[in-house]
Structure formats: C-alpha cells, structure tokens
C-alpha cells in the first residue's frame, strides 16, 4: 500500500493511498492484517460463525487494540496542511485500524446481513474514519414527540451534526464513494430503518462532502427516503431536507419548498423570509407577495393560523411591506391598473344585474324540480375558493395593488385605513407615479373616519410633497449639463405649482379634519358649528354650510343643541352676515325660524327655545306686538290638554303647550310689555295646565303684590300650597306666612293662627322647625306669652330629633326670660327624657349648672350621676372634668369617692373591644390623650401627699397640683400576684 510522502507531496501521491477498503481487506490480500496474536480469535470465529456474541466481542477487542496502538504511535512527520487533508487517516496506524475493522465487520455481515446493531456500528465506524470526530452537544430538557414543522426546523438546526477534522472530499474521494456505497448496501438490507436514513443524510451536510454527491445525489437520496419510509416518519426527513435546501439556495430551495408547501403551508412565512432575505442573490418578491397575500386571505377566513402568532391584518401589513419595497417587481403600472379596475367594475355590474333577474320556477307542470348550481370544488366537505391568479406563486402575472388594498384591506379593516392608504400611496411613489400617489392620498383623506387615520395619511402626504419640492430645489441648485434654459424654466414653474399645492394643503387641513369628523357622525351639531367658524367672513360659504347642515342632520339623532343651528342661521341674516356689512334680511330669518318650529326636535325645550328666540328677535327689532303674537302662536292650547309631556312617541309640537320654559318667557313678556290683566291671564293659564312650579307661584304672588293686589297674591300662595306637597310647599308656606305677618301684623291674629296651624298640619318633622319658631315669635310679638310657650312645647315633640336640642335650648331661654329659672326644671326634665343619649349629657351639664346657681347642690350632684351613664370617660373627658371640679369646689371626701366609684363603674360598662377602639379614635380626633396612653395615679394618694406638704387648699385634694404621675413609674412597679382572671379597674381621674 503506498504511503503519502512527507516532502511536498502531490495530489496524485496523496490520492494514490486510497482506497483503503476496496477490495475488502482480507488476510490473503493484506499480509499485516492478522498477526499471530489474532490466530486464537480467528479460530474461535471459524468454530462459531453463527454466534453474534463472538463476532461482537472480536470487533470490540479490535477497536480497543487499535485505539491503544494509535495512542502509542509517534507523532506524524506530515505537515499540518497535509494532515488536515488526510484527516483521521493521516497516520499509518489509523489506516491499518480501518482495514482491520472493515475486515471484521464485512465478515460478520456475511453471517448477519439483517442485523441493525451491526450495521449501525459499522456505519458509525466508517463515518468516524471519513467524516472525523463528531462534536456532541449537550441538550437541556426533552423534545416534543410530534412538534410543528416550524419548531422541528429550529430544533433540527440546533441539532445538526458537526465534525472535527475529516477526510478531504477530493483527496479521499474513493473513500467517500465507498462510504456511500456502504450506506446503499445497508439500506438494501434495512430500507425501513429511519436511523440508517438519517445517518446517511447527515453526511451531505459535512463541509468536506464531495460536490459529486452533495447536490443531485443528495436530493435524490432525500426523495428516496420520503418514498421508502412511512408517512408518519416524513416529518423527521423533511426537517433535514428543508434545512439542506436552505443551505443550497437558488432553484433547489424553491423547488423543494414548493413541494413541501403543497402538503403543509405552516412554513410559508419562513419560505417568504428566505425568498426576500438580503443574502439571497436571486430574490423572488412577486412569489413572496402572492404567498403572503394567500396567507392573509386564508387567515381572514379562519383557514390558517400563523405559527408566529400574526393576525390577518399583520399578514396583510407584511404584504404591503413587500409591495412598498419591491414596487416594480410586484405591482402593475398605472395603465394596466386602470384597465384591470375597469374589468373588475364591469364584472361586478354584470353580477349585480344577473342577481336581479327573476329566478327560474321551482316547478314544472306542478311537479317540483331539483336545482343544481354551478360546479363547486370541495375538499374535506368544505368549498374550496376558486382559482385566483393573485394567490398562485407560479403565475408570473403582477398584482393589481389598488384592488387588493380595497378588497382585502379597506373593506375588512376599516379601523386601519390610514396604514392601508399610505401603503398604497407609497407603492405609487416607489414606482415614480407621483400623480397617482397624490390622487391616492386625496382619496384616502376623503374617505377615512378617524382622526388617527387622517393624521397618518396627512403626515405622509405632507412628507411626500416636501420631498418632491426639496428634490426639485436640488435639481435647480445643481442642474445637469444637458438641461437648457427651457427645461430650467419648466422646472421652476413646476416647483411653483408644487409649493402652491403644498400651501393649499396646509390651509385645507382644518377643513379636512372637520370633514373626517362629519363623515364619522354627520349629526354632530358642534362640528357643523366649527365648520361655519372655519369659513370666517365668507358669507356665501357660511350660508351654504348652514343650509347643508340643516339638510343633513337628522333631528332625532342629532347631538345637543341642534336648534342652535336654526337660531344662529337666523341671526346670520338678522345681523347682515358675519361682519354685519350687508343689510339685515328679517324675512329670511323669519322663514328659517318658521321652518324650525316645524322640526321634530328631540326635546320640547329645544322647540320652546326656538319660539323664544323668534320673539327676542322681534323685540330687538322693536316689533313688540309681533313678539307677543309669536308667543301667542307658540302657547296656543289645543282642545285635548290630556297629553303626557314626557310621551316621546308624540311630536314635540303636540307637547309644546306644556313647556314651562315657553310659558315663563311668555309671562315675562306680558309683564314687561302687556297689561296686568293679560299677565294674570297667562299666569292663570299656567296654573290651569298644572305645569307651574314653586318659582312661578312666588313670581305670580310677587307680581300681584307689586300691583297692590294683596289678597289675590295671598290666594295665589294658598293655591300653590294646594298644588304642591312638602318639601316644595314648605318654601311657599315660609314666604306666605312671612308676607302675611308683615302685612297684617296683629290685626288678624286668629286668621294668622289658622294659617300657621294649616302649615303645621301636614308638615313633616324635618321642615317644621322654622314654622314653629315663626309661630312662636308671632305669638310673642302679637299674642300671648302663654301661647308662645305652648307652641315651643308642641315644637319639642314635633320637630326632628336632630333639631330638638336647639328647640329645647330656645324654649328654656324663653321660659327663663318670662318665668325665671325655677320654671325651667320641668323643661329640663322633659328634655332628659326626650333627647337622644349624645345630647343628654350636654343638657345635664346645663341642668346641673342651673341647679347650682339656685343653690341646689344635691340636685346638681344627682343630675351629674344621672348623666354619667351616657359618658364614656375616654370619649367625654370634658364631662368628668367638670364633675371633678364641681366635687372639688362643693363636695366632700365621700362625695368625691362616690364620683370615682361611678366613674369606674361606667368605664367598666364601656370596656369592650369595639367601644375601646371607638373611644381611642374619638380621643385622637379630639387631640386628647387616651387612657391607654396615659395612666393617672390614685388621686387620693396625691391629695394626701399634698396635704402632708402643708399647702393651702381643700383638706382632701388640691385643685392646682397635677394628680398624674409618670407612666414610667407605673411601668417600673412590679405586678402584684393575684387572680389572673380578675378585672382591674383604675381609680384614677382625668
């Protein structure tokens, strides 16, 4: 066997060393193949040729022996470059090892040709000597059993085999060829083994794989694997096949991906990314655009779900991105687009005409016949859409982008119109069709319904215009040598025209925004008013806008203040235009207002305001009689007055006569311009229709009072009190009684008393306090003090609980001033019985103070004791402090101890968790210290210490010395041993 030389070997000398394994090595042809040490092994194999264990043991022993010899071999004298070309077979020992192992494997396969274990080991061994050492990657976690192809491709790409070293494909071509032949022999015996196929296919990804087998032979091998293996295993083959196709690129990638997409379209997005990749020397934008468009349409029909989680709109956005980037390659030009649009329009018209034709009869001679529609293609029970050239990637016809954007974008995604219009316009800009792009921008601005879409289109339009202008200015600044003066002048004129168009576009922006808002809601009154304001001093446009608004807006769907459009339009004519330069046209204003009175507005108030504005216009023109006639027309009462004012099924004109707003304006007009009798007639009509409120009653009475009709005004008040119930009638009674008392004073005492009694008869407790006080004041000033006291006494029972304390306070004060302090005792006692607990304590303090003034110390002490049951020491420290001061000043040691005992008892009564928390919160809100925060010491001990010091003051306690001790001292005192369940009650005072 020739050896590669060490000094500048040639290609022929290197290739002469191969093949090493053909013909199959044998002891007869290769003398050094079997040594004397191997004779025992050979004899054993000859004796047991059908024992797989003997053959496997012999092969493993040879592998171990060869590995030991290779380690013991001295370093090769070959240069690094030559050693890299030869790879694993660069040393004589490795070549010898290959021949020995091939000899044993081949001999074993003669006996066991169908052994998968033996073939797999043999193939791994041959691959190790040809492909080099395989780099093993560490994997984390498991793998899905049946992953999607997108995930399978990612996983397979990470798991692709990598080798270190390897035999060069040119130098060792013979050995590569024999390796492939070995795989073919293995597949002849084991064609259904996917592991063998995967091992075979892995060699085509080796970087040293000879070009003779890495292209056509590899593709055919992948195809054979797919034909041989069952469909359940095709996923594993296709993952490698697609990755191999991606590595080859060009027509191979396209052909293989097209084959797979016919079965599984889930990797279409990956395929389109490959077609448009920057590294792709031959991009196919038209095919990619058609594939993405097909995916977008299928996704919108629910037939496709993007593996990358993209929505149908996002897929359509990807299509627009391709169209914008490759406008020339994907879309039709302007002429072809217009021709295609005409054909589509004609086809749609013919379909519409065909659909309007009468259908054939369902029966002939009285017998039912069966109808069959046009032939329909179905798949899995579902109708397959008809063939469309726009979705066929093999069809080279370009796309009608305008029709696609309209049909698949604007008609489906109406909330994304801005992006779609700008994408279509950008397509025309990239093709250089600037007029078509401008036309597209204008169509977009005239059709969008949201401000967001409008802003997107307008900004793109403005940027496009600015770029055109800047390009023209650059061409003028740097003219070409071929341009003459005429070309320069033409460019300057075009530049002026473009700049004028740009300025007009900027000026049109407010109007375009207003158009968008009116398209979104043509019944938006406020936007119509804004449009009128936009025209400014252009009277012709203002009148045109008002006319268009009144013709467009639906009164029942209009926003607020639709009637203001009629009113403002009438004022426009009344004032002589926006500037007032024209002559006032009152006839036109009256016609507009007369037309407004026939409009069925949403509410009656709107129609009433139109009539009022009409009357005000006549007043401004000093046509007072006409103003009254207008209001008389408006306030005409029909024969049938039993109409529900809130019945929206009736037109507002039928309910207008019950509008208080209209009658209020009418009565004001009569008061100002008419006579007293006419005003009274209007007021009486309001009362007859039962639409008056309390303000109308008060105004009517005040009007009669101003004109000296006092008794009639009082009758109006009485009529109002009959019409309304409390609380509305309370205000009327309040004013009525005050006016009556002021008018007659003490001259009609009995009548006044009757009025007060009538007022109090149905008055609820919540509102009767002011009437009682007014009644009592009247009796004090014009009647008897005894009756006044009886009124106060009645009030203490009739008023609400929250007002009783105030009534008792006034009652006590009046009784004191009239009868003296002793007469207040029964009042105080009654107050203690009636008042709620929270107010009883305060009343007790006042009662005790009164008794103390009278010298009744024992009675005052009893009152304090009675009030103590309502006063928690932690919440009402003021009460206990006052009682403490009282005992210090007037009591004895026994009474003071009794006070402390009562305090402890009350504190124990309130000593619950809920009351404690409430007390603590109340004390904190009052800015006072709680019992838990400050623990006062025994007051008697403090008094004894003070008395021992010889200080002046009462014998048992000092009023000026602080009876509290530091909390720290109390804490340092050790706790006395005793009953753990005992309740400890402090003897302290506040």
């Amino acid at each position: 066997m020739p050896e590669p030389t060490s000094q500048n070997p040639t290609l022929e000398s290197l290739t002469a060393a191969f093949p090493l394994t053909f013909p199959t090595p044998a002891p007869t042809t290769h003398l050094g193949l079997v040594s004397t040490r191997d004779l025992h092994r050979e004899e054993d194999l000859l004796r047991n040729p059908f024992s797989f264990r003997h053959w496997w043991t012999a092969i493993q022993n040879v592998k171990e022996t060869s590995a030991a010899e290779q380690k013991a071999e001295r370093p090769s004298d070959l240069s690094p470059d030559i050693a890299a070309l030869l790879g694993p077979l660069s040393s004589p020992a490795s070549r010898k090892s290959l021949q020995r192992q091939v000899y044993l494997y081949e001999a074993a396969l003669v006996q066991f040709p169908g052994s998968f274990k033996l073939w797999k080991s043999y193939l791994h061994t041959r691959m190790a000597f040809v492909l080099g050492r395989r780099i093993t990657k560490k994997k984390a976690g498991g793998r899905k059993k049946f992953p999607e192809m997108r995930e399978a491709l990612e996983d397979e790409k990470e798991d692709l085999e990598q080798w270190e070293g390897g035999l060069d494909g040119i130098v060792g071509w013979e050995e590569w060829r024999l390796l492939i032949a070995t795989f073919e022999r293995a597949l002849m015996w084991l064609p259904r083994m996917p592991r063998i196929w995967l091992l075979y296919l892995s060699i085509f990804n080796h970087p040293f794989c000879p070009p003779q087998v890495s292209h056509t032979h590899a593709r055919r091998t992948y195809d054979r694997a797919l034909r041989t293996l069952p469909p359940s295993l095709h996923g594993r083959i296709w993952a490698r096949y697609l990755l191999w196709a991606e590595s080859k690129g060009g027509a191979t990638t396209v052909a293989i991906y097209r084959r797979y997409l016919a079965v599984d379209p889930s990797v279409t997005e990956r395929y389109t990314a490959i077609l448009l990749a920057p590294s792709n020397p031959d991009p196919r934008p038209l095919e990619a655009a058609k594939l993405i468009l097909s995916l977008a349409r299928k996704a919108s029909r629910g037939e496709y779900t993007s593996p990358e989680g993209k929505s149908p709109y996002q897929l359509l956005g990807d299509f627009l991105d391709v169209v914008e980037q490759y406008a020339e390659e994907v879309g039709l030009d302007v002429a072809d687009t217009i021709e295609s649009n005409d054909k589509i329009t004609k086809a749609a018209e013919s379909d519409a005409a065909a659909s309007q034709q009468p259908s054939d009869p369902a029966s002939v001679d009285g017998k039912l016949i069966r109808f069959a529609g046009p032939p329909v293609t179905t798949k899995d029970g579902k109708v397959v859409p008809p063939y469309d050239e726009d979705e066929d990637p093999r069809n080279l016809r370009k796309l009608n982008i305008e029709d696609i954007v309209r049909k698949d974008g604007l008609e489906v995604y109406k909330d994304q119109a801005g992006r779609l219009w700008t994408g279509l316009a950008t397509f025309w800009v990239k093709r250089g069709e600037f007029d078509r792009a401008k036309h597209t921008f204008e169509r977009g601005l005239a059709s969008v319904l949201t401000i967001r879409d409008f802003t997107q289109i307008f900004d793109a339009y403005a940027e496009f215009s600015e770029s055109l202008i800047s390009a023209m200015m650059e061409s003028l600044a740097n003219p070409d040598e071929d341009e003459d003066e005429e070309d320069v002048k033409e460019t300057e004129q075009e530049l002026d025209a473009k700049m004028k168009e740009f300025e007009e576009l900027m000026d049109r922006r407010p109007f375009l925004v207003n158009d968008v808002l009116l398209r979104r809601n043509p019944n938006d009154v406020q936007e119509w008013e804004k449009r009128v304001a936009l025209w400014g001093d252009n009277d012709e446009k203002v009148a045109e806008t008002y006319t268009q608004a009144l013709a467009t807006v639906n009164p029942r769907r209009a926003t607020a203040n639709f009637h203001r459009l009629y009113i403002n339009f009438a004022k426009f004519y009344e004032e002589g235009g926006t500037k007032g330069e024209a002559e006032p046209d009152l006839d036109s204003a009256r016609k507009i207002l007369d037309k407004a009175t026939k409009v069925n507005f949403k509410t009656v108030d709107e129609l009433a305001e139109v009539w009022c504005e009409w009357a005000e216009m006549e007043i401004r023109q000093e046509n007072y009689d006409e103003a009254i006639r207008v209001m008389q027309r408006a306030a005409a009462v029909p024969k049938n007055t039993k109409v529900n004012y809130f019945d929206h099924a009736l037109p507002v004109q039928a309910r207008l006569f019950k509008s208080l707003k209209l009658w209020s304006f009418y009565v004001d007009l009569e008061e100002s311009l008419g006579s007293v009798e006419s005003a009274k007639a209007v007021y009486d009509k309001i009362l007859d229709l039962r639409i008056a409120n309390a303000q109308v009653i008060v105004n009517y009475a005040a009007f009669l009072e101003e004109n000296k009709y006092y008794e009639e005004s009082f009758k109006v008040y009485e009529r109002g009190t009959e019409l309304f119930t409390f609380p509305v009638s309370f205000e009327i009674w309040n004013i009525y009684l005050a006016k009556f008392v002021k008018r007659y004073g003490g001259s009609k005492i009995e009548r006044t008393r009757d009025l007060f009694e009538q007022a109090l008869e149905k008055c609820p407790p919540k509102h009767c306090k002011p009437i009682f006080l007014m009644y009592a004041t009247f009796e004090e000033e014009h009647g008897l003090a005894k009756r006044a006291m009886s009124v106060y006494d009645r009030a203490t029972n009739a008023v609400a609980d929250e007002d009783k304390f105030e009534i008792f306070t006034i009652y006590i004060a009046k009784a004191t001033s009239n009868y003296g302090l002793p007469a207040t005792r029964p009042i105080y006692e009654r107050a203690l019985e009636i008042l709620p607990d929270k107010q009883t304590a305060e009343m007790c303090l006042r009662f005790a103070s009164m008794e103390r003034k009278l010298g009744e110390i024992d009675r005052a002490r009893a009152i304090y004791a009675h009030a103590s049951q309502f006063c928690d020491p932690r919440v009402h420290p003021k009460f206990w402090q006052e009682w403490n001061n009282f005992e210090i000043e007037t009591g004895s040691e026994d009474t003071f101890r009794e006070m402390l005992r009562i305090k402890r008892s009350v504190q124990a009564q309130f000593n619950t968790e809920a009351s404690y928390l409430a007390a603590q919160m109340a004390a904190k809100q009052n800015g006072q210290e709680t019992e838990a925060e400050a623990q006062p010491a025994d007051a008697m001990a403090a008094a004894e210490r003070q008395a021992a010091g010889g200080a002046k003051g009462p014998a048992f306690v000092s009023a000026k010395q602080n009876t509290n001790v530091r909390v720290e001292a109390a804490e340092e005192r050790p706790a006395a041993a005793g009953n753990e369940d005992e309740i400890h009650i402090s003897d302290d005072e506040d």
Side-chain angles (χ1 to χ4, degrees), residues 470-613:
S470 61
M472 290 182 180
M473 295 177 69
E474 288 180 3
S475 65
L476 289 176
N478 303 311
D480 296 336
E481 296 178 356
D482 299 337
E483 292 183 357
D484 53 9
E485 293 183 359
E486 293 183 0
D487 294 336
V488 172
K489 289 183 179 179
E490 184 178 352
T491 305
E492 290 178 351
Q493 293 176 358
E494 188 176 358
L495 177 61
D496 293 339
K498 292 295 180 184
M499 293 186 71
K500 184 178 180 181
E501 290 178 359
F502 182 69
E503 291 175 359
E504 291 177 353
L505 177 64
M506 293 295 107
D507 294 338
R508 285 165 50 207
R509 191 180 194 283
F511 293 92
L512 294 173
V513 172
N514 186 260
D515 285 337
V516 171
L517 297 174
L518 287 177
R519 275 196 302 274
R520 184 173 63 183
N521 183 11
N523 301 311
D524 193 338
V525 176
Q526 287 71 30
E527 291 304 323
W528 284 110
E529 293 284 1
K530 291 179 183 177
R531 190 167 189 82
V532 170
L534 287 175
W535 288 116
D537 301 334
N538 192 338
D539 292 345
E540 182 179 352
K541 288 292 184 180
V542 169
E544 182 182 344
T545 302
Y546 272 123
T547 305
Q548 183 182 1
L550 297 179
T552 303
V553 177
N554 184 348
R556 305 300 294 176
R557 296 182 180 179
T559 58
N561 299 325
F562 174 50
H563 63 286
R564 298 301 307 175
L565 284 177
Y566 285 98
I567 294 170
N568 293 336
F569 195 12
K571 283 185 178 180
F572 170 77
Y573 282 110
E574 179 192 357
E575 295 171 358
T578 54
K579 286 187 175 181
E581 296 176 353
E583 292 184 3
D585 188 357
L586 294 180
D587 292 336
S588 298
R590 291 190 182 102
K591 288 179 181 179
I592 292 170
L593 292 173
D594 183 64
K595 183 180 179 181
T597 59
K598 300 172 183 177
V599 176
N600 188 15
F601 293 101
K602 274 186 178 181
T603 61
V604 179
D605 285 345
E606 295 185 43
L607 180 59
E609 190 166 345
V610 170
W611 283 105
C612 296
E613 287 289 341

Side-chain angles (χ1 to χ4, degrees), residues 861 865 868 873 880-881 883-885 887-888 892-908 936-943 956-957 963 985-990:
R861 185 174 289 110
S868 63
W880 293 97
Q881 182 65 36
W883 192 3
N884 181 64
N885 296 336
E887 293 294 346
I888 291 174
S892 63
E893 184 175 352
D894 293 336
T895 59
F896 193 85
R897 285 184 177 275
E898 180 65 17
M899 184 269 292
L900 294 179
R901 185 193 66 78
I902 293 173
K903 183 178 181 181
R904 289 194 300 270
S905 176
V906 171
Q907 187 168 357
D938 188 1
M940 292 306 297
F956 64 95
V957 71
T963 59
I985 301 175
S986 175
D987 293 336
D988 48 21
E989 62 166 324
D990 291 343

Side-chain angles (χ1 to χ4, degrees), residues 21-37:
T21 57
F22 184 81
T24 303
T28 56
T29 57
H30 297 70
L31 300 179
L33 198 61
V34 177
S35 63
T36 54
R37 291 175 296 178

Side-chain angles (χ1 to χ4, degrees), residues 249-267:
T252 303
T253 303
V254 174
I256 293 172
Y257 260 100
R258 282 179 178 178
R259 284 176 54 196
Y260 183 74
L261 293 179
V263 180
D264 179 15
S266 63
V267 294

